[in-house]
C-alpha cells in the first residue's frame, strides 16, 4: 500500500517593492522607440502592399496582352492555312486548265499533221500530173 508524505516546498515570495521611477521612464522611452519603429515598419508594409498591388496589376495587364497575342497568332495561323488551301486549289485548277490546254493543242497538232500529210499527198499528185503533162 502507498503512503502519502508531506512535502515541504519553499517558494520565493513576490517582491512588493515597486520599480523606481527611472525604470518606468526607461520603459516608456523604450515603448516610444518601439512604437516609432512599429509605425515605420507598418508604413513600409503599406508601401510594399502598394507595390505588390501595382505589380499584380501589371501582371494582369501583361497576361491580357499575352492572351490577345495568342488570339492574334491563332487567327494568323488560320489565315495562313486558308491561304495555303486556296493556293493548293488554285494550283490544282491551273494544272487542270493547263492539262486541258495541252489536250486541245495536241488535238490541233494531230489535225494539222493530218492536213500536212493531205497537202503532201496533193502536191505529190500534182507533181505526178505535171510530169505526165510534160511527157505528153
Amino acid at each position: 500500500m502507498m503512503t502519502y508524505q508531506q512535502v515541504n516546498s519553499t517558494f520565493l515570495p513576490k517582491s512588493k517593492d515597486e520599480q523606481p521611477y527611472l525604470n518606468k521612464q526607461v520603459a516608456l522611452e523604450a515603448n516610444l522607440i518601439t512604437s516609432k519603429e512599429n509605425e515605420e515598419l507598418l508604413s513600409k508594409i503599406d508601401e510594399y502592399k502598394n507595390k505588390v498591388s501595382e505589380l499584380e496589376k501589371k501582371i494582369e495587364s501583361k497576361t491580357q496582352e499575352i492572351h490577345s497575342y495568342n488570339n492574334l497568332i491563332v487567327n494568323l495561323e488560320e489565315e495562313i492555312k486558308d491561304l495555303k488551301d486556296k493556293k493548293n486549289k488554285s494550283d490544282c485548277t491551273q494544272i487542270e486548265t493547263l492539262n486541258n490546254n495541252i489536250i486541245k493543242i495536241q488535238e490541233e497538232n494531230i489535225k494539222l499533221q493530218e492536213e500536212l500529210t493531205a497537202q503532201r499527198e496533193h502536191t505529190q499528185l500534182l507533181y505526178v500530173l505535171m510530169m505526165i503533162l510534160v511527157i505528153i
Side-chain angles (χ1 to χ4, degrees):
M1 191 180 273
M2 293 178 71
T3 60
Y4 292 101
Q5 294 179 351
Q6 186 174 3
V7 177
N8 291 329
S9 297
T10 55
F11 293 102
L12 294 175
K14 285 187 178 179
S15 138
K16 293 184 180 178
D17 297 333
E18 291 186 21
Q19 294 178 349
Y21 180 74
L22 293 176
N23 286 342
K24 286 183 182 179
Q25 185 65 29
V26 170
L28 286 174
E29 288 175 4
N31 279 343
L32 287 174
I33 291 172
T34 55
S35 65
K36 286 180 184 178
E37 287 178 0
N38 197 11
E39 288 175 6
E40 290 175 3
L41 291 174
L42 287 174
S43 68
K44 283 185 181 181
I45 287 174
D46 288 338
E47 288 177 22
Y48 289 137
K49 283 181 182 178
N50 290 337
K51 287 181 182 179
V52 166
S53 66
E54 288 175 13
L55 290 175
E56 285 176 346
K57 288 178 184 176
K58 283 183 182 179
I59 288 173
E60 182 64 30
S61 69
K62 294 298 179 182
T63 304
Q64 289 175 352
E65 221 175 295
I66 288 172
H67 287 303
S68 66
Y69 284 128
N70 282 340
N71 290 337
L72 179 66
I73 289 172
V74 168
N75 289 338
L76 289 175
E77 286 176 346
E78 289 176 359
E79 189 174 336
I80 288 172
K81 183 180 176 184
D82 291 342
L83 289 174
K84 282 183 180 180
D85 289 343
K86 286 180 182 178
K87 180 185 174 201
N88 288 338
K89 287 180 183 177
S90 68
D91 286 348
C92 289
T93 55
Q94 284 179 348
I95 289 172
E96 288 178 15
T97 55
L98 289 175
N99 283 337
N100 290 337
N101 287 341
I102 288 174
I103 291 171
K104 288 178 184 176
I105 290 173
Q106 285 175 344
E107 290 173 354
E108 285 181 29
N109 191 18
I110 290 172
K111 287 180 184 177
L112 289 174
Q113 284 178 353
E114 289 173 355
E115 286 180 14
L116 184 64
T117 54
Q119 285 180 354
R120 282 185 186 164
E121 289 175 0
H122 186 68
T123 53
Q124 285 177 354
L125 184 61
L126 285 175
Y127 184 72
V128 170
L129 284 175
M130 283 177 58
M131 293 290 248
I132 292 176
L133 284 174
V134 169
I135 293 179
I136 305 190

